[in-house]
Every structure is written in C-alpha cells, then in structure tokens.
Amino acid sequence: MKHILVNGLRLEYRDIPALETDKPTLLMLHEGLGCVAMWRDFPQQIAAATGCRVIVWSRAGYGHSESYPEARTPRYMHREALEALPALLAELGIEKPVLLGHSDGGSIALIFAGAFPDRVRGVVVMAPHEFVEAETLAGILQAKTAWTATDWSQKLARYHADAGRVFSDWNDTWLSADFRDWNIEAYLPNIRCPVLAMQGEDDEYATMRQIDVIGDQIAGAALLKLPDCGHSPQKDQTEAVLAAVSRFVAAL
C-alpha cells in the first residue's frame, strides 16, 4: 500500500504496473462502502486482462485514508469528481485515464467525464446511479436493518479505520430528504469518450433504467446487462466483466 497527499489528506492507494506498453492507465473508483482492500484481487485481474497500469485508491474516510473533517453533504459525489479526483490525477501525473467505477464510484466517474470531457480516455461503470429510485432507497433501508441485526459492522471494520462513519455517511445521506432530488443526468450528454455501462439483472439497489439512461444520453455508449448478477458485477460475473473490460480497452 502506498500513500499520497491529496488536498491536504493522506490517502491510501495501490499502483499495479503496466504489463504492456502504449496502454492507458486505468483508475478504479470503489462503491459507497468500499476501499482498496475490498476490491480483493480484482485490480490484479483487471491488470492481467488488459495489460494496463491499474491504480486503485480509497477515497477520503474509506479504508485507512484520512477523513474529511466536515460532515458529508448530498453533493459528496460531486466533491469527489470535481475536486478530489482532479487533484489525485495531478499528484500522480496521470493524463486521460480510463475510469472504472462501481456504484458510487461509477457515478463519480460519469460526473468527472461530463465535467472534464477532454481529460478522460474512456469510462467503464458497473451498477452506477444517475438518480434516486424507490428500489435504491428500499435496498439501503434494508441495509440499515442488517447493520444493527447482524455482525456486518464487525466485518466492515476489517477494512475501514472508522467503519461506523463509513456506513452512516452512506446510509444516512441516501435516506435523507435532501438527497431525494439528487440527479447527475445533466452530465451525461457532455461525455465524449467511449463508455461501457454494466448492470446485473438482479441488482438489489436499482432498476435497469440506470444504464438505459446512459444508452439514451451518451452517444455510442455500450450497455451490458448481466444475468444472474446483483449489484456487484465484478463479484457475481467476474469472467464476463473481465472479458468486457478487456475488449473495451483493446478497442481504445
């Protein structure tokens, strides 16, 4: 594990060297309860499948990255996309990466690509959110019940320095009244790079509308709808995801 100072915060990251020359750097963005360690060996699998340099990092407050001192707001994904991610890329000296994001990480990738269309080479998103659905809120409400009724808190504590804050920041923000109107669709038509959007047909946090909107609003976007797959395609359909990402990068 390496560490880097981004906007005054010490963040953890891993940097997997490229296996092939002339390949883009692939930057991975984790989901709302994720971090570097929770990707497990998927970054290494992506690196082997694509030949790319792969960087995976824990956003502020996740894993063992330093937290923001202030409370989270409904624009927390905008903050990551418009402030933290550009600063991270500058510190690492990376230009025009391929962004691969899961769930919240996918939403952050889309915001960045729409706000800075000339600064990204490609975007791959798995189970991203562009707006709030009743199905999403129901899934998050169930997660709140599971948090208090099971040993989930102990399990999450294996990966995060402050698992309680990680969970409450995610759960409380999504269930707040102020978050009901959260929507990032305005960024989608501005995205000019190739886009691949994947979603499981059994996603417990969203309907297929989430990636259908990407297909409708981003010219040339490719959609992959995965059977027997929930909210984490990289876990439920690993081989299909690796193959799709490999084809996507090769086409670039």
Side-chain angles (χ1 to χ4, degrees):
M1 193 76 72
K2 297 181 179 181
H3 294 85
I4 191 169
L5 199 64
V6 178
N7 290 343
L9 298 176
R10 188 172 184 264
L11 306 181
E12 63 178 10
Y13 76 103
R14 285 183 181 158
D15 191 342
I16 304 170
L19 297 176
E20 301 176 28
T21 58
D22 301 322
K23 290 279 189 173
T25 296
L26 199 154
L27 184 70
M28 298 177 63
L29 297 99
H30 61 76
E31 46 100 1
L33 297 177
C35 64
V36 171
M38 289 184 70
W39 283 111
R40 302 182 186 275
D41 65 345
F42 189 65
Q44 289 88 340
Q45 292 179 292
I46 285 288
T50 63
C52 293
R53 176 190 182 190
V54 174
I55 294 175
V56 53
W57 61 303
S58 297
R59 297 191 296 275
Y62 293 90
H64 292 275
S65 290
E66 283 190 271
S67 300
Y68 292 115
E70 60 273 15
R72 175 170 288 189
T73 75
R75 287 184 60 82
Y76 74 96
M77 283 182 272
H78 288 78
R79 180 180 193 175
E80 294 298 332
L82 304 178
E83 299 176 23
L85 184 51
L88 176 72
L89 294 173
E91 290 291 337
L92 292 172
I94 297 172
E95 297 182 359
K96 299 199 74 169
V98 173
L99 302 178
L100 190 160
H102 173 223
S103 193
D104 277 17
S107 303
I108 293 166
L110 292 169
I111 296 170
F112 179 91
F116 308 107
D118 297 324
R119 297 175 62 181
V120 60
R121 188 166 176 182
V123 172
V124 178
V125 290
M126 301 181 296
H129 302 282
E130 294 78 44
F131 46 86
V132 179
E133 293 183 285
E135 290 81 359
T136 311
L137 299 179
I140 292 174
L141 191 60
Q142 288 179 358
K144 186 173 184 177
T145 300
W147 180 257
T148 57
T150 70
D151 63 349
W152 191 6
S153 60
Q154 289 95 332
K155 291 180 178 179
L156 204 64
R158 300 172 189 169
Y159 301 100
H160 301 284
D162 189 348
R165 180 174 176 180
V166 166
F167 183 83
S168 63
D169 276 354
W170 170 73
N171 199 265
D172 294 352
T173 301
W174 275 84
L175 293 178
S176 69
D178 290 341
F179 202 75
R180 293 294 190 273
D181 295 328
W182 179 86
N183 189 300
I184 63 166
E185 289 180 81
Y187 289 94
L188 302 183
N190 296 329
I191 298 175
R192 296 197 291 266
C193 67
V195 173
L196 168 62
M198 294 179 270
Q199 187 170 345
E201 293 180 353
D202 304 315
D203 193 327
E204 59 271 35
Y205 288 105
T207 72
M208 205 58 73
R209 287 182 56 219
Q210 296 289 346
I211 65 167
D212 285 340
V213 164
I214 292 174
D216 291 340
Q217 299 195 38
I218 302 177
L223 307 184
L224 178 59
K225 300 179 179 181
L226 297 163
D228 301 316
C229 181
H231 191 62
S232 299
Q234 74 276 16
K235 295 178 182 178
D236 296 344
Q237 289 289 351
T238 305
E239 294 305 318
V241 170
L242 290 172
V245 175
S246 183
R247 290 192 299 268
F248 180 82
V249 171
L252 295 176

